[in-house]
Amino acid sequence: MWRTGKRGRLEAMRVADGAAQAGARADPAEVARFRDLTAAVRGASDPGDAAVPSFDAMWGGVERKLEAARAPVAVPREAAEAAPGLLARLLGDRPLFVLAPAGAFLVAVVLGLLFWTRPPAPNNQCFVDSYDAGSGSVIIDQDFDDSDRPTVIWFVEEG
């Protein structure tokens, strides 16, 4: 009976590589697949008679491309006159990197101005200095020592 699973595959690999004796514990079909895989890998890694490319020729091509990239490019007069302005040069191909921080700064400035220039909250405290009533009674409940306590004014009509 052949082994299945991970141990069966490991046994088949060992038999295919010649590290173990072919026995009844390794699946012959699995061993054949591993032998084919080993042959394909060795064939791909061993170039045999294939010509090896010249390393100097490769670097010569790289150097020519670098020189071509460094060469100044002549700009037609019409294109030079239509050169982008400062904003277009700042934005370039990355407007998000410029506009996002600028927008965040603008929002912070507006919120700061709104916070520091808001009008003061109204003061709802009152102190009664005098009162004048032609008839009836006026009762005032006012605590001068505790300004948070409300002032209460009653007017009671007589008769």
Side-chain angles (χ1 to χ4, degrees), residues 103-118:
F105 177 74
L106 183 64
V107 167
V109 167
V110 168
L111 289 176
L113 286 173
L114 289 176
F115 180 75
W116 277 292
T117 60
R118 70 174 189 255

Side-chain angles (χ1 to χ4, degrees), residues 67-74:
E67 288 300 322
R70 284 189 206 139
V73 178

Side-chain angles (χ1 to χ4, degrees), residues 3 13 20 29 36 42-43 46 54 57 60 63 100 113 120 140:
R3 287 187 180 176
M13 279 189 247
D36 292 343
R42 287 187 179 143
D46 182 23
S54 170
E63 288 173 348
L113 286 173
I140 299 175

Side-chain angles (χ1 to χ4, degrees), residues 76-87:
R77 185 173 185 194
E78 296 84 21
E81 290 173 356
L86 177 64
L87 183 62

Side-chain angles (χ1 to χ4, degrees), residues 8 12 27 29 37 41 47 54-56 63 66 69 71 76 80 83 85 87 92 94 104 110 114 119 125 130 141 157:
D27 183 6
L37 179 63
V41 169
S54 170
F55 188 72
D56 294 331
E63 288 173 348
L66 287 174
L87 183 62
R94 54 193 189 286
V110 168
L114 289 176
Q125 296 176 353
S130 65
D141 181 14
E157 286 187 38

Side-chain angles (χ1 to χ4, degrees), residues 51-64:
V52 177
S54 170
F55 188 72
D56 294 331
M58 181 199 67
W59 274 114
V62 171
E63 288 173 348
R64 284 190 301 276

Side-chain angles (χ1 to χ4, degrees), residues 72-157:
V73 178
V75 179
R77 185 173 185 194
E78 296 84 21
E81 290 173 356
L86 177 64
L87 183 62
R89 282 184 288 176
L90 282 176
L91 294 179
D93 293 335
R94 54 193 189 286
L96 183 65
F97 293 127
V98 175
L99 294 178
F105 177 74
L106 183 64
V107 167
V109 167
V110 168
L111 289 176
L113 286 173
L114 289 176
F115 180 75
W116 277 292
T117 60
R118 70 174 189 255
N123 186 353
N124 292 330
Q125 296 176 353
C126 71
F127 294 100
V128 178
D129 293 335
S130 65
Y131 61 89
D132 184 21
S135 65
S137 300
V138 176
I139 303 168
I140 299 175
D141 181 14
Q142 185 175 15
D143 188 0
F144 293 106
D145 295 329
D146 186 8
S147 62
D148 291 335
R149 209 168 146 218
T151 300
V152 181
I153 302 172
W154 288 285
F155 174 72
V156 182
E157 286 187 38

